[in-house]
Amino acid sequence: MSREVHSGGCQCGAIRYKVAGELGYPHICHCRMCQKAGGNFFMALAGTRAENLLMMRGEPRWFRSSDPCGRGFCDNCGTPLLFRTVGSPYISVTIGSLDKPEAAVPVSQDGVESRLSYFDKFFSLPENPTDRSDLADGNAVISASNHQHPDHDTVVWPPKKD
């Protein structure tokens, strides 16, 4: 029987990780701490046993958002990566930091007391593709100058210049 393996990491590539096994309880959390930690409307998380999380490159820096909870992030680019309750055998990864975030479909919304009042209106908003026509070369200049780590493991990052 093959075992699931999920990989992920930060935006700049300084931190890469693997989760050997299932990603349990994928959910979005609307609590105010998650909003602040993610700089967004909510944070999307999926858990695993701590021993299943393997750091492949780099180590996160930790911030204790409360006495019992810590949040791991990349000290270089700021990407939120991990959430852990002190003493728990489980650790959560941010779904957005996974190379294949589609693998972790949320099953719950937690911390709904802090959910923004307009959250339910998002899906009725107009939808537009990425448009950087405000730049001289539009989307092409973003694509050509992309410094974001790709959604797969690399031996060396950033790539060596020729």
Side-chain angles (χ1 to χ4, degrees):
M1 176 180 203
S2 68
R3 188 170 184 188
E4 289 180 66
V5 176
H6 304 275
S7 60
C10 66
Q11 187 172 21
C12 74
I15 298 177
R16 294 288 299 160
Y17 66 82
K18 286 190 186 287
V19 174
E22 180 183 357
L23 292 169
Y25 192 60
H27 66 284
I28 60 175
C29 184
H30 297 276
C31 84
R32 189 64 186 131
M33 283 190 177
C34 280
Q35 289 173 352
K36 294 282 278 195
N40 217 315
F41 304 111
F42 59 83
M43 188 168 277
L45 301 161
T48 189
R49 293 194 64 84
E51 65 265 19
N52 293 342
L53 177 69
L54 307 166
M55 301 311 295
M56 306 305 291
R57 180 168 55 228
E59 289 291 330
R61 184 155 179 205
W62 288 87
F63 172 71
R64 292 287 284 274
S65 55
S66 64
D67 288 348
C69 299
R71 296 169 186 276
F73 62 96
C74 176
D75 196 24
N76 191 52
C77 67
T79 301
L81 297 166
L82 305 168
F83 173 85
R84 188 163 192 192
T85 300
V86 175
S88 172
Y90 298 97
I91 191 165
S92 293
V93 299
T94 55
I95 293 174
S97 72
L98 291 166
D99 291 339
K100 296 179 181 173
E102 288 278 343
V105 179
V107 297
S108 179
Q109 294 186 60
D110 296 353
V112 296
E113 70 281 355
S114 297
R115 183 173 49 208
L116 299 177
S117 63
Y118 51 83
F119 183 77
D120 64 329
K121 296 174 180 43
F122 288 159
F123 294 103
S124 63
L125 294 173
E127 296 181 348
N128 304 297
T130 303
D131 176 10
R132 290 309 311 262
S133 57
D134 59 313
L135 300 171
D137 292 324
N139 292 354
V141 71
I142 299 295
S143 183
S145 64
N146 181 358
H147 303 289
Q148 181 168 294
H149 190 275
D151 285 336
H152 58 82
D153 288 331
T154 57
V155 176
V156 177
W157 190 262
K160 299 215 184 281
K161 304 273 185 200
D162 290 338

